[in-house]
Amino acid sequence: MPPSPALDPHVLVLFGARGDLAKRKLLPGLFRLAQVGLMPEEFRIIGSGRHAPDGEFTGEVRKALEEHAKDDLTDEAWKAFAERLSFVVSSADDGADLAKAVQDARKELGEESRTLLYLSVPPSAMKPMVGMLAETGLSTDRARIVMEKPFGSDLESAKALNAALHEHVEEDAIFRIDHFLGKEAAQDILALRFANGLFEPIWNREHVAAVQIDIPEELGLEGRGSFYEETGAFRDMVVTHLSQILGFVAMEAPESLDAGHLRDAKTAVFADVQPFQPGDAGDGQFAGYREEDGVDPDSTVETFVALKVAVDNDRWRGVPFLLRTGKAMAETRRVVTITLKRPEADIFDGSHRPNELTFELLDDPHIAVDLLVKVPGPTSEVTRAPLTLDVERVLNEHGLEAYERLFHDIMLGDHLLFTRADEVERLWACATPLLEDPPKPLTYDKGSWGPEAAAKLAEPIGWRLPEDA
Ligand code: BG6
């Protein structure tokens, strides 16, 4: 497809270009955008990191695309992509060569060109990198900085990182990524709530018994031992993805779909989210974690978290928000379940599960409302019958994967699906009691549903998947 005329020419710099995220998502995502005509006419991709590849960087990228790209890697498509790729070594201490390479590329692309600086580096490396970008002048003059999550590792470091950024860069040029917000299905939560008259009237404590945000993963560490030792499941997933989804589910209607209004609405609901209490959390560590590469043999880092969160406002007071995620679990799911209260006049057999609305946050989004219908025949029994909406099939042949959508938004300068300094800091403030007094992680078997004690947190409703009886 022809390139997008709406986008300025871009020099994209990927820090951490040889890392797992770049290989699985960022490079394949950029390749796909080029295939569907959503890259600028002129762009260059400069991979960067502390160590140059042994062979050609293009060879590494080719392999990553062979494994992870969704589109056909035709010779023509590969050639067009590969000739825009290069690699320059840089570190927080030395960005001179990179600055020169970016300058040269921008000269080639013209005055209108922009720099996109994507920091896919561990939280502890972010602040020194921001310093280097300022010193070398890389972050000025039509540059945008993209910060991977987690943004900081606690309230203090997040504030320091925001301050370091704001010293050199306008908030308008900062894109804090939480790729769950780029998932089609996450945005479906907003569409379902605010584009329809059907659900919003029941979206409150009068009608909702519980909200469950459940992201178990079969995946283990996948070679990310040292990253994981620094973050753990709580920082990696809960303060970030799960909390952001909670924001979409719990927020009041934003004034408009403008980035400012949407982020105001999220910030407002995060102000009502109560600090996470150690008594409402259960941590786990899968058996064998301590033997993984890059992991301390005495590590107490959690690979599983279950957490009950309270949102203290008129809409949600008393409704538990149940959050669960973990590595090496029985299944990979991304499910948001809104459990409704039973009808007051329950004249049918009241032993069934109450109505549930579920969102499966997959690339192929899936929404279902679980209803009770009468069993045909001479009986008054009811049975569960899901009403499903297969959004991908109905609406969207050309859906974008989360990182693809977000890259495109960054190049357009649209902040709608990115997090703002104040909301991130508020979430770290909520996390503080738990970071200061974390529950001891209980061991769980690989392929299980986590420590048994975590099940108690979700009582009386329990952790439930849509297909459970
Ligand atoms: C990442 C986490 O941000 O999200 C990973 O660092 C996790 O640990 C991943 O596996 C899940 O994302 P997705 O897009 O596969 O749902």
Side-chain angles (χ1 to χ4, degrees):
M1 289 193 43
S4 170
L7 299 173
D8 293 327
H10 264 78
V11 179
L12 300 103
V13 183
L14 301 184
F15 295 96
R18 304 186 57 213
D20 176 68
L21 182 68
K23 288 182 180 157
R24 273 189 311 116
K25 301 284 186 182
L26 306 183
L27 290 159
L30 290 170
F31 178 72
R32 172 119 205 280
L33 285 178
Q35 301 320 298
V36 297
L38 292 175
M39 283 301 277
E41 200 169 333
E42 286 294 345
F43 69 93
R44 303 280 180 277
I45 299 173
I46 306 182
S48 194
R50 280 178 305 164
H51 307 288
D54 287 339
E56 288 287 311
F57 178 56
T58 39
E60 277 192 10
V61 178
R62 164 103 205 179
K63 196 160 163 267
L65 297 192
E66 276 165 7
E67 275 175 45
H68 302 289
K70 279 188 264 173
D71 294 276
D72 278 350
L73 198 55
T74 60
D75 286 348
E76 195 192 345
W78 166 245
K79 196 168 162 279
F81 194 70
E83 63 194 18
R84 295 165 139 137
L85 289 171
S86 58
F87 189 93
V88 180
V89 172
S90 73
S91 69
D93 303 323
D94 188 359
D97 290 350
L98 180 65
K100 169 88 177 54
V102 170
Q103 222 174 29
D104 290 349
R106 285 199 54 200
K107 252 190 219 141
E108 249 182 76
L109 301 191
E111 265 175 30
E112 291 302 297
S113 65
R114 290 184 173 277
T115 320
L116 185 159
L117 304 160
Y118 197 117
L119 269 71
S120 172
V121 299
S124 57
M126 289 282 185
K127 201 161 154 256
M129 289 297 285
V130 169
M132 179 278 272
L133 295 178
E135 268 165 40
T136 52
L138 274 164
S139 56
T140 47
D141 184 25
R142 296 177 69 74
R144 292 181 173 130
I145 300 196
V146 189
M147 311 286 288
E148 247 310 323
K149 44 94 355 212
F151 187 89
S153 50
D154 55 17
L155 180 57
E156 206 187 326
S157 57
K159 278 186 170 169
L161 190 50
N162 275 325
L165 278 166
H166 290 149
E167 209 178 299
H168 310 290
V169 191
E170 296 290 322
E171 177 68 24
D172 250 14
I174 304 169
F175 292 76
R176 295 176 197 77
I177 262 205
D178 188 300
H179 80 275
F180 267 51
L181 298 186
K183 288 181 189 262
E184 286 286 348
Q187 296 153 55
D188 266 328
I189 297 174
L190 297 185
L192 202 83
R193 284 189 65 188
F194 302 125
N196 297 287
L198 194 57
F199 297 103
E200 205 47 21
I202 56 160
W203 213 262
N204 54 51
R205 66 199 180 103
E206 291 293 307
H207 300 280
V208 174
V211 175
Q212 182 181 300
I213 302 172
D214 195 12
I215 322 276
E217 299 188 285
E218 275 172 87
L219 206 82
L221 294 189
E222 311 290 312
R224 298 197 308 159
S226 50
F227 168 82
Y228 217 73
E229 279 285 280
E230 202 181 306
T231 55
F234 182 64
R235 290 180 170 95
D236 184 33
M237 299 293 286
V238 179
V239 192
T240 54
H241 304 323
L242 280 78
S243 297
Q244 287 295 328
I245 295 297
L246 184 152
F248 270 17
V249 173
M251 68 162 82
E252 296 300 315
E255 254 179 82
S256 77
L257 261 191
D258 162 89
H261 288 147
L262 187 82
R263 300 196 294 177
D264 286 347
K266 244 191 309 152
T267 306
V269 76
F270 290 151
D272 295 334
V273 167
Q274 297 304 287
F276 308 154
Q277 296 306 318
D280 288 335
D283 282 4
Q285 187 186 76
F286 66 77
Y289 172 74
R290 294 174 182 189
E291 282 91 63
E292 298 262 355
D293 275 354
V295 172
D296 179 345
D298 298 318
S299 176
T300 54
V301 167
E302 77 292 348
T303 62
F304 169 98
V305 181
L307 177 67
K308 185 155 70 178
V309 174
V311 182
D312 188 23
N313 60 24
D314 288 348
R315 189 187 280 268
W316 295 116
R317 196 162 299 117
V319 178
F321 282 74
L322 302 166
L323 275 43
R324 176 173 76 167
T325 187
K327 297 284 184 206
M329 291 181 64
E331 276 184 50
T332 297
R333 298 294 285 264
R334 281 103 180 80
V335 198
V336 178
T337 308
I338 318 285
T339 304
L340 297 182
K341 292 186 174 168
R342 291 180 191 284
E344 265 175 40
D346 194 0
I347 54 174
F348 287 94
D349 166 14
S351 65
H352 287 281
R353 278 169 69 163
N355 295 145
E356 284 168 352
L357 171 63
T358 51
F359 297 85
E360 306 248 5
L361 308 179
L362 307 168
D363 285 344
D364 191 0
H366 190 88
I367 303 173
V369 186
D370 206 41
L371 297 175
L372 290 169
V373 295
K374 193 187 151 295
V375 174
T379 167
S380 301
E381 275 178 44
V382 285
T383 187
R384 290 173 66 206
L387 195 66
T388 63
L389 177 60
D390 212 332
V391 184
E392 181 79 358
R393 219 176 305 142
V394 176
L395 295 174
N396 196 351
E397 285 164 33
H398 304 294
L400 293 181
E401 198 268 341
Y403 277 102
E404 295 160 10
R405 163 76 199 253
L406 295 176
F407 259 126
H408 188 246
D409 284 2
I410 299 163
M411 291 188 284
L412 283 174
D414 183 351
H415 284 85
L416 185 71
L417 301 172
F418 295 84
T419 63
R420 204 168 56 189
D422 50 357
E423 48 176 310
V424 173
E425 289 183 14
R426 171 63 194 164
L427 288 174
W428 281 120
C430 291
T432 303
L434 212 51
L435 290 173
E436 286 178 349
D437 183 15
K440 187 173 172 300
L442 304 173
T443 308
Y444 62 95
D445 288 336
K446 278 188 185 171
S448 72
W449 284 104
E452 273 171 32
K456 289 222 168 57
L457 271 178
E459 283 176 354
I461 291 176
W463 302 107
R464 281 201 310 217
L465 292 168
E467 66 279 11
D468 292 344

